[in-house]
Amino acid sequence: MPFLTHPTTPFDDQKPGTSGLRKKTPVFMQPRYLENYVQATFDGIGGVAGKVLIVGGDGRFFNDTAIQVILRMAAANGAARCIVGQGGILSTPAASNLIRKRGADGGLILSASHNPGGPNADFGLKFNGANGGPASEAVTSKIHARSLEIDSYKIADSADLDLSQLGESDLDGMAVEIVDPVTDYATLMEALFDFDAIRALFAGGFRVSFDAMHAVTGPYAREILERRLGAPEGSVQNGVPLPDFGGGHPDPNPIWAKDLMARMYGDDTPDFGAASDGDGDRNMIVGPNCYVSPSDSLALLADLAHLAPGYKDGIAGIARSMPTSAAADLVAKAKGVEVFVTPTGWKFFGTLLDAGRATICGEESAGTGSNHVREKDGLWAVLLWLNILAATGKSVPALMQDHWAKYGRNYYSRHDYEAIDSDAAHGLMDHLRGQLDGLAGQELAGLQVASADEFAYDDPVDGSRATAQGIRIHFADGGRVVFRLSGTGTQGATLRVYLERLETDPARFDQDVQQALAPVIAAAQEVAQIAQRSGRDAPDVIT
Ligand code: VG1
Ligand code: CO
């Protein structure tokens, strides 16, 4: 047998609850570290013997090396076939699509998403199941449990494969099929959206600017926007994926997508701007002098999705993560469809999508998607926006004004305190927990508290329960603040403070967002003692 069995040391690095594992790249590159995690994953899903797996990643540093290890381990563990994106590339939504389209048993996606890449930055690996979505809490717990006890892994003793050549080859009895990473995804998009209408919009001089941030969406955006839809060459910026994302931070928000923001604010701007993240599942939408908050984008897309052919019969329901604004709830109510409020993380949408109860899903962190795959999908959101712009003939700011006039404006912002001391962060959350019972009826910085609790979720489809999913305080005037600790950071703890207030007076729709939220921000400071406990007098990132 050419298979080697290696001894390994158990490790307990995977937090149960988060999808996959994200670590500093040098941690992942330690001898046997990746191997341990891959074997724990294979074991945790009940083995891979005879199975078909999709493998690909966002092209960041270590992507190609890690894929070679995964392929050799899949072969040694008896997998029947691995379908790999050419060059090791697959965006997260494209991988989800391939799992579904090819009827695979699951997939391994290599990415740390919006975290920077490079030899001293971040790396990650996650497993998606046969429905194309992130592993459920139950599967994640099994992988975690297995990682604590494994004492060996299996790997084939074979040479590296050439990932750049399309076609099929054999790796110690396992078929390896290298496929174009873009084609199937682009075909799916053509089936959902009115490409003729978008092509006509572009032909009429409508200018689009898509910033791929040197991450995985470059090849997808160039094929779809420039080749299939005829946007002029150069409409896609930073379109070549680089192992370190050009030294940037591939997180599509006004802070990290500064260049795009600068292009979209001023006199002679493009008509539509967008950006995506490292692995292509997030989106930022910005019109001329008009940044669209992700929560508003979700609400607007849900409201107008029927203008695209793929959703012409309407939507079954809307799902949003709890910290996302309630703008989408107002749309669901007006349409008479169900709305679901889930914990943070796309995996919680899977059961609702599989059961046909939700059609459109979204998160405040720039993730939007639908039942077409089981991941959030950056380019999908961009194309739905373009389809709506083409169908209505309106501009981004005009569409937003119409939306607020109909539903009111949910002023919204997230304040992140990054890489703070972990004990201080947990102390702050405990301090909040300790106050919850007595808060209702109290005043915080002049705002009256209506209710306060720690969010727990009972999945209406499979009955599973997730607890400790964020502390939320609702105010009597309709405002809200949510506190939670990030599950995706790789250094210290990151405190996220989510702030919201509904404004229904049209005369007050053009306030500065931070000013409009000032009372809620003051209340958040008072109740959580953020400055004292984090040692920071301002957030690191405001989105
Ligand atoms: C963040 C976002 C969350 C998102 C997750 C994964 O998690 O807040 O909404 O689902 O990243 O997105 P956290 O725990 O750091 O707040 V991605 O684009 O990394 O797959
Ligand atoms: Co991502």
Side-chain angles (χ1 to χ4, degrees):
M1 288 285 277
F3 303 151
L4 309 176
T5 302
H6 287 258
T8 182
T9 41
F11 77 132
D12 60 356
D13 260 318
Q14 198 219 4
K15 295 177 205 147
T18 55
S19 304
L21 187 65
R22 278 183 209 185
K23 287 282 160 191
K24 292 285 168 210
T25 314
V27 173
F28 251 107
M29 292 177 75
Q30 293 172 91
R32 303 197 289 256
Y33 189 92
L34 170 71
E35 290 84 345
N36 291 4
Y37 186 62
V38 171
Q39 190 67 51
T41 300
F42 287 170
D43 293 352
I45 61 169
V48 294
K51 289 186 177 173
V52 176
L53 299 171
I54 305 295
V55 183
D58 64 10
R60 70 179 63 218
F61 183 82
F62 194 51
N63 188 66
D64 41 4
T65 315
I67 288 180
Q68 300 287 353
V69 170
I70 291 168
L71 293 177
R72 287 205 291 271
M73 289 186 63
N77 279 274
R81 174 178 295 265
C82 280
I83 301 166
V84 188
Q86 187 179 25
I89 294 288
L90 278 178
S91 77
T92 288
S96 181
N97 178 48
L98 265 185
I99 294 172
R100 297 166 66 78
K101 188 161 179 189
R102 298 294 303 268
D105 298 287
L108 288 138
I109 303 174
L110 301 89
S111 173
S113 191
H114 53 289
N115 296 10
N120 292 307
D122 291 357
F123 191 78
L125 175 63
K126 66 173 173 172
F127 176 77
N128 279 29
N131 73 345
S136 65
E137 289 275 277
V139 170
T140 305
S141 304
K142 280 189 191 145
I143 295 172
H144 177 243
R146 188 62 191 144
S147 75
L148 300 177
E149 62 186 25
I150 54 164
D151 54 13
S152 68
Y153 62 86
K154 287 185 188 163
I155 188 161
D157 184 16
S158 57
D160 279 358
L161 287 176
D162 181 357
L163 301 179
S164 68
Q165 295 301 318
L166 294 176
E168 194 162 322
S169 58
D170 174 84
L171 198 165
D172 275 322
M174 178 183 82
V176 178
E177 188 184 334
I178 313 274
V179 299
D180 182 274
V182 177
T183 307
D184 289 311
Y185 178 82
T187 305
L188 174 65
M189 293 301 117
E190 271 179 339
L192 294 174
F193 301 114
D194 186 347
F195 271 41
D196 288 338
I198 303 173
R199 210 175 286 119
L201 182 74
F202 290 170
F206 183 98
R207 286 190 299 152
V208 55
S209 179
F210 180 90
D211 190 341
M213 303 185 87
H214 286 303
V216 78
T217 43
Y220 294 86
R222 286 170 105 167
E223 171 64 22
I224 294 172
L225 298 176
E226 294 182 357
R227 283 182 213 112
R228 298 197 187 196
L229 291 168
E233 221 170 284
S235 298
V236 175
Q237 287 99 37
N238 302 321
V240 178
L242 297 174
D244 67 348
F245 306 124
H249 201 130
D251 195 350
N253 63 42
I255 309 294
W256 297 113
K258 276 198 277 329
D259 297 349
L260 177 66
M261 287 300 280
R263 215 172 298 131
M264 295 307 298
Y265 277 72
D267 288 337
D268 183 31
T269 70
D271 299 290
F272 182 79
S276 194
D277 71 332
D279 62 332
D281 57 2
R282 297 187 181 200
N283 71 90
M284 177 173 102
I285 303 295
V286 48
N289 301 292
C290 175
Y291 167 72
V292 180
S293 92
S295 292
D296 275 351
S297 178
L298 168 67
L300 185 136
L301 293 180
D303 196 28
L304 301 178
H306 60 273
L307 298 175
Y311 308 92
K312 66 178 188 325
D313 298 329
I315 57 173
I318 306 173
R320 66 161 171 98
S321 67
M322 183 275 284
T324 303
S325 94
D329 304 15
L330 302 172
V331 172
K333 195 167 166 220
K335 288 191 179 298
V337 299
E338 277 191 293
V339 61
F340 302 91
V341 177
T342 63
T344 295
W346 208 262
K347 62 171 168 266
F348 293 101
F349 295 135
T351 53
L352 298 167
L353 291 166
D354 284 348
R357 293 187 60 183
T359 306
I360 304 270
C361 306
E363 295 192 277
E364 51 65 42
S365 53
T368 341
S370 86
N371 57 356
H372 68 293
V373 289
R374 292 295 180 272
E375 286 277 6
K376 52 191 185 272
D377 188 344
L379 267 168
W380 171 89
V382 168
L383 290 167
L384 182 49
W385 262 98
L386 289 170
N387 196 140
I388 290 168
L389 289 161
T392 58
K394 291 183 178 166
S395 68
V396 174
L399 284 170
M400 284 321 307
Q401 288 295 337
D402 288 358
H403 187 88
W404 295 333
K406 194 165 160 196
Y407 295 105
R409 177 170 185 186
N410 293 73
Y411 279 103
Y412 189 87
S413 182
R414 186 176 100 185
H415 291 190
D416 292 333
Y417 297 81
E418 294 183 337
I420 58 177
D421 178 72
S422 197
D423 290 341
H426 287 101
L428 182 148
M429 294 300 285
D430 286 341
H431 167 71
L432 282 170
R433 256 177 219 117
Q435 298 176 75
L436 286 178
D437 282 349
L439 272 181
Q442 303 264 327
E443 279 207 355
L444 291 175
L447 286 185
Q448 201 184 7
V449 176
S451 66
D453 68 353
E454 184 158 26
F455 181 55
Y457 176 67
D458 293 298
D459 188 308
V461 180
D462 69 11
S464 60
R465 184 171 177 82
T467 55
Q469 297 295 326
I471 287 173
R472 50 184 184 178
I473 301 172
H474 288 98
F475 299 104
D477 73 347
R480 182 184 75 155
V481 58
V482 173
F483 300 88
R484 67 176 274 285
L485 299 182
S486 158
T488 62
T490 56
Q491 215 177 345
T494 291
L495 170 69
R496 304 204 192 283
V497 184
Y498 309 83
L499 307 139
E500 176 178 3
R501 190 171 71 74
L502 175 64
E503 176 61 68
T504 51
D505 177 0
R508 302 170 61 84
F509 284 164
D510 52 6
Q511 297 172 68
D512 171 78
V513 174
Q514 300 304 317
Q515 244 149 35
L517 291 169
V520 188
I521 295 170
Q525 279 292 350
E526 181 176 315
V527 72
Q529 304 174 335
I530 302 172
Q532 298 95 300
R533 288 172 178 273
S534 71
R536 307 276 169 84
D537 49 17
D540 298 279
V541 178
I542 295 181
T543 52

